[in-house]
Amino acid sequence: MNKALNIVAVTACSTGIAQTYMAADVLEHCARAKGHTIKVETQGALGVLNPITLSDLSSADLAILTNDVAIDDVDRFHQLKTITVSIDDILTTPQDILDGLLQP
Amino acid sequence: MNAFVNNFHQINPHIDHFLQSTHCQKVWFASHTDTYPENAFLVKFSRIIYVLEGEYRTMIGYQGEHTNIVAKKGEIIFIPSQTWDLPDWHTDCRALTVLFGHYQVGMSLTHSTIDGDKDGKISVNKATINEPLQHEGFYLEKILNDLAISQRPGTAAKCVAEGLLRYCREKTEALIEPAQSATHHKWRAITLYLQKNFGPGITRETVALEYNISPNHLSRLFREEGGLGFNEYLTLVRIDRVKMLLSQYQMSMADIAIRTGFKDCSYLGRVFRRHTGMTLGEYRASYGS
């Protein structure tokens, strides 16, 4: 019994050079493959790209946030069920993260 | 909402010191390899790393092989889009990575130190220039990409890489200056539009209509802001795309001509030759994968 989720996510890594963007691609790819919709904001050296808006938040079921460095404006997500993961987890075992979302 | 802090005041003194005291010594070009390490950094935009102090250790595809390299102070590593690297931060090093995004240029100044700790220690300052490479910066990055593909980097690469850093440094200054004029913003918006919309049917008239200005006004905007006519700019964008398609895809010349907005293959051939001094076939033979 699969439920399609509406996910928002923010990725950020310490150097902001590459993993931020790779993790965003991986999340988008894996979430869509499972039938979820997802929007990923990146906070890297290119600044804040694809920002999560208030209307994104209001329609989201849950948020995935990385915890390698402090996320900018994290208060936005306080009302949402939030899953915190490391960039490495996203890059190495993205399926586990997405499978875990449907657990109670 | 965006509280992202631009740390130009932290980064710029290091760039200035580097540009004043050091000449670029060598440019390493990362090359494509069929396989790459599991943790490799691989992104859709190109990056360049300037080693400001110490030694930067990383693994890249170099002449087709996975190679550990040690880039010393004054050396530079250029990593084209879709090419990987795998830095090892366990070293005393201050390095500046510049990221060339589609709409932004990013900077990340990393300072790593050898440390008993397994993860080493690294401090980072980031800053963003909220516009893509333009003018000379746009061309300098193209040259580095071409040099990377040709794998025949000469001494010119050092000058180009240094020029690109100077360009980016000046851009950070411009951010502190008063905002640029409305005409400049309009020109910029149109060049971005053209970089996505260059196919058949795109003409001076259709673009003018899209931006609700007269065709003559559009031409004037390009001459005054870009120093390059509208058609010249559009042709450059198209030729650039042709080069990419020739080198990375097995598409027929006729298909390439259609996709890039040239009326047919022979016309494309003539324009291409005028711009590059090569025929389409010669270019594909030299740079094709």
Side-chain angles (χ1 to χ4, degrees):
Chain A
M1 31 172 264
N2 274 338
K3 180 172 174 266
L5 297 169
N6 197 351
I7 306 170
V8 291
V10 179
T11 59
C13 62
S14 64
T15 63
I17 294 172
Q19 288 173 312
T20 298
Y21 306 102
M22 292 161 64
D25 286 347
V26 166
L27 279 181
E28 282 173 0
H29 178 82
C30 293
R32 283 181 191 147
K34 288 198 179 292
H36 304 312
T37 48
I38 189 164
K39 177 169 177 179
V40 187
E41 172 180 313
T42 54
Q43 297 184 2
L46 292 173
V48 176
L49 299 187
N50 201 27
I52 305 287
T53 62
L54 285 176
S55 71
D56 295 329
L57 287 168
S58 63
S59 58
D61 296 311
L62 60 92
I64 300 176
L65 307 178
T66 59
N67 60 3
D68 298 66
V69 287
I71 296 284
D72 208 53
D73 201 7
V74 76
D75 293 347
R76 282 176 288 171
F77 302 99
H78 275 177
Q79 301 300 320
L80 270 180
K81 180 184 172 190
T82 301
I83 286 127
T84 309
V85 293
S86 72
I87 282 272
D88 278 342
D89 288 342
I90 294 177
L91 293 176
T92 52
T93 53
Q95 299 299 348
D96 292 358
I97 296 170
L98 288 163
D99 290 342
L101 300 181
L102 292 167
Q103 308 301 319
Chain B
M1 190 201 86
N2 181 352
F4 186 84
V5 181
N6 265 330
N7 281 318
F8 288 123
H9 63 285
Q10 305 268 10
I11 296 176
N12 283 349
H14 291 288
I15 299 179
D16 292 342
H17 179 73
F18 177 76
L19 287 171
Q20 282 157 17
S21 66
T22 319
H23 271 290
C24 296
Q25 301 296 319
K26 170 175 187 167
V27 183
W28 302 83
F29 287 96
S31 69
H32 173 81
T33 54
D34 291 334
T35 61
Y36 47 85
E38 201 177 321
N39 307 323
F41 289 4
L42 194 157
V43 288
K44 291 175 190 149
F45 43 80
S46 62
R47 293 170 284 152
I48 189 165
I49 301 155
Y50 297 88
V51 183
L52 308 181
E53 287 165 30
E55 288 184 348
Y56 189 89
R57 292 167 187 271
T58 189
M59 190 195 284
I60 57 172
Y62 186 64
Q63 296 172 344
E65 304 283 337
H66 295 199
T67 309
N68 284 303
I69 65 168
V70 180
K72 299 189 176 62
K73 178 181 174 177
E75 297 187 356
I76 295 157
I77 307 164
F78 182 74
I79 303 159
S81 64
Q82 301 293 5
T83 309
W84 59 273
D85 69 332
L86 183 52
D88 168 5
W89 303 107
H90 306 99
T91 170
D92 286 316
C93 183
R94 199 186 298 274
L96 177 74
T97 300
V98 185
L99 295 67
F100 302 112
H102 291 299
Y103 305 104
Q104 293 85 5
V105 173
M107 291 186 177
S108 176
L109 177 74
T110 53
H111 186 199
S112 58
T113 49
I114 294 183
D115 190 89
D117 184 355
K118 175 170 142 292
D119 289 326
K121 270 194 180 156
I122 176 164
S123 68
V124 184
N125 283 295
K126 296 170 207 165
T128 307
I129 300 166
N130 268 314
E131 59 178 44
L133 290 171
Q134 298 173 30
H135 301 275
E136 66 270 36
F138 177 82
Y139 295 109
L140 290 170
E141 197 263 349
K142 291 279 164 258
I143 295 170
L144 286 175
N145 268 301
D146 275 7
L147 290 171
I149 292 170
S150 72
Q151 289 289 313
R152 287 191 299 268
T155 52
K158 295 187 281 191
C159 305
V160 175
E162 190 172 322
L164 194 52
L165 182 58
R166 285 185 188 277
Y167 167 90
C168 293
R169 172 66 181 85
E170 274 176 29
K171 280 293 162 190
T172 69
E173 213 60 50
L175 290 175
I176 304 158
E177 300 293 304
Q180 279 156 328
S181 67
T183 38
H184 182 79
H185 281 297
K186 188 150 227 167
W187 173 80
R188 213 177 84 192
I190 297 174
T191 58
L192 286 174
Y193 173 82
L194 286 177
Q195 284 171 32
K196 288 185 176 167
N197 302 280
F198 48 77
I202 290 289
T203 63
R204 188 176 73 130
E205 282 67 29
T206 63
V207 176
L209 197 62
E210 181 79 19
Y211 282 87
N212 206 14
I213 54 179
S214 76
N216 284 334
H217 184 178
L218 179 64
S219 293
R220 200 162 55 242
L221 196 64
F222 266 77
R223 273 200 312 276
E224 286 170 7
E225 293 293 332
L228 197 66
F230 173 83
N231 282 322
E232 285 174 274
Y233 186 88
L234 180 57
T235 303
L236 279 177
V237 171
R238 287 172 167 171
I239 291 286
D240 201 49
R241 184 54 61 112
V242 171
K243 286 183 178 175
M244 194 276 284
L245 292 174
L246 280 173
S247 63
Q248 294 181 23
Y249 294 88
Q250 302 301 323
M251 206 178 283
S252 77
M253 311 286 187
D255 280 348
I256 292 179
I258 290 166
R259 275 179 180 243
T260 51
F262 289 91
K263 75 175 189 289
D264 58 41
C265 189
S266 79
Y267 177 63
L268 165 61
R270 285 201 301 279
V271 176
F272 192 83
R273 181 154 204 167
R274 198 165 67 234
H275 275 264
T276 62
M278 295 169 105
T279 66
L280 298 167
E282 284 166 356
Y283 188 90
R284 178 168 268 170
S286 307
Y287 299 127
S289 47

